[in-house]
Amino acid sequence: MTIHKEGYSTILVSFIALAIINLGVYFLSSQSLIISLISLGLSFILWLVVVNFFRSPLRVCKIQDGTVIAPADGTVVVIEEVEEPECLKTKCKQVSIFMTPLNVHVNWFPMSGVVKFVKHHSGRFMGAYLPKSSTENERTTVLIEDKSGKQIVVRQVAGAMARRIVCYAENNTTVAQGAQMGFIKFGSRLDLYLPLDADIKVDLDEKVTGTQTIIAQL
C-alpha cells in the first residue's frame, strides 16, 4: 500500500492547517496541556483519515481479453438497459459502482484497447447515488475500443463531496487493462456502458474490488 500522488498536496496542506489550529488552541487555552493534548489527538485522527483516503493499493491485474473488470472499489448500485447518447449513441447495459469516502478512490482501465474519445464536463455536485448525477454532475467520459472492435464507455462522476476528477486517458493512446485511469477525490461513482450482449457477472448491491472483480464478459 502506498500514497497516491494526487494526495501529496492535500495531505501536506491538511497537516500544516491542523498544526496551525493546534498552535492556536494551545495559546487560546492559556497553554492548557489537557486541552492541547485532546486537540492534538483529534487532529491526528483527522489527518490519518485524509491520508487513508489517498491510499493506493498495489494490485496485480491478470489481463483477460474479452472481459471488463471493475474500474473502482465500491458497491454495484445500477444494472440496467439505457441509451448512451454521448459516444455509443445506442442502447447498452449500464453498470454503476458507487464509492463511499472509505473506499479506495483510484480508478483503473476496465479493459485493454485504444482510447477513442475523452471529454470532461463541468456540472453539478449532486449525490452520486442519484440517477441524474450521470448526466448532470461534473464528469469525465472515456470511450475504449478493444482489438476486436468492441467499444465500452467508462464515466467518472463526481458526487456531493467530490470536487476534482483526475483522468489520465488521452485520445488515440493504447491503454492496458488494470492500469491507472485516474482518481476522484472524496466520494463518487463510476458508470460503465457495455454492449447489450455483454454477459454481466455481478449483482446489485455486490461489493466489487477494482482490477480484481470481473464485471462482464464481452
Side-chain angles (χ1 to χ4, degrees), residues 37 43 63 80 90-91 116 124 130 134 138 142 144 146 170 203-204:
L37 287 175
S43 297
I63 296 177
E80 63 182 5
T90 186
K91 282 189 174 294
K116 294 293 187 178
R124 302 170 64 184
L130 296 172
S134 294
E138 185 96 5
V142 179
I144 305 171
D146 70 10
E170 297 180 357
D203 299 311
L204 276 175

Side-chain angles (χ1 to χ4, degrees), residues 47-100:
W47 187 71
L48 286 181
V49 170
V50 174
V51 172
N52 183 67
F53 177 84
F54 290 102
R55 66 196 187 278
S56 181
L58 302 174
R59 295 178 183 167
V60 176
C61 174
K62 183 179 179 181
I63 296 177
Q64 304 177 66
D65 292 336
T67 65
V68 176
I69 61 171
D73 290 4
T75 304
V76 177
V77 293
V78 173
I79 300 177
E80 63 182 5
E81 289 189 12
V82 297
E83 182 83 18
E84 201 293 305
E86 185 177 6
C87 302
L88 301 176
K89 298 181 180 179
T90 186
K91 282 189 174 294
C92 55
K93 290 180 179 177
Q94 177 183 343
V95 178
S96 296
I97 300 168
F98 178 72
M99 296 176 285
T100 72

Side-chain angles (χ1 to χ4, degrees), residues 22-53:
N22 277 276
L23 284 174
V25 169
Y26 177 70
F27 288 109
L28 289 175
S29 65
S30 301
Q31 301 181 13
S32 169
L33 181 60
I34 294 178
I35 294 177
S36 296
L37 287 175
I38 292 174
S39 175
L40 186 63
L42 293 174
S43 297
F44 183 66
I45 292 173
L46 179 60
W47 187 71
L48 286 181
V49 170
V50 174
V51 172
N52 183 67
F53 177 84

Side-chain angles (χ1 to χ4, degrees), residues 76-193:
V76 177
V77 293
V78 173
I79 300 177
E80 63 182 5
E81 289 189 12
V82 297
E83 182 83 18
E84 201 293 305
E86 185 177 6
C87 302
L88 301 176
K89 298 181 180 179
T90 186
K91 282 189 174 294
C92 55
K93 290 180 179 177
Q94 177 183 343
V95 178
S96 296
I97 300 168
F98 178 72
M99 296 176 285
T100 72
L102 298 179
N103 287 124
V104 170
H105 273 61
V106 181
N107 303 152
W108 295 271
F109 287 106
M111 77 174 190
S112 299
V114 177
V115 175
K116 294 293 187 178
F117 178 88
V118 180
K119 187 171 182 179
H120 177 80
H121 301 265
S122 298
R124 302 170 64 184
F125 294 97
M126 297 184 293
Y129 55 85
L130 296 172
K132 290 195 297 183
S133 66
S134 294
T135 55
E136 296 188 21
N137 275 20
E138 185 96 5
R139 61 199 182 279
T140 297
T141 301
V142 179
L143 172 65
I144 305 171
E145 181 177 288
D146 70 10
K147 61 184 180 182
S148 69
K150 292 185 177 180
Q151 296 181 329
I152 70 168
V153 167
V154 55
R155 180 170 291 137
Q156 299 169 289
V157 183
M161 294 177 63
R163 297 290 163 167
R164 186 182 177 205
I165 295 175
V166 179
C167 184
Y168 304 139
E170 297 180 357
N171 273 314
N172 301 314
T173 57
T174 300
V175 297
Q177 186 179 56
Q180 286 197 12
M181 189 185 87
F183 197 96
I184 310 179
K185 294 186 177 182
F186 301 111
S188 42
R189 69 188 259 177
L190 266 289
D191 293 336
L192 287 167
Y193 296 89

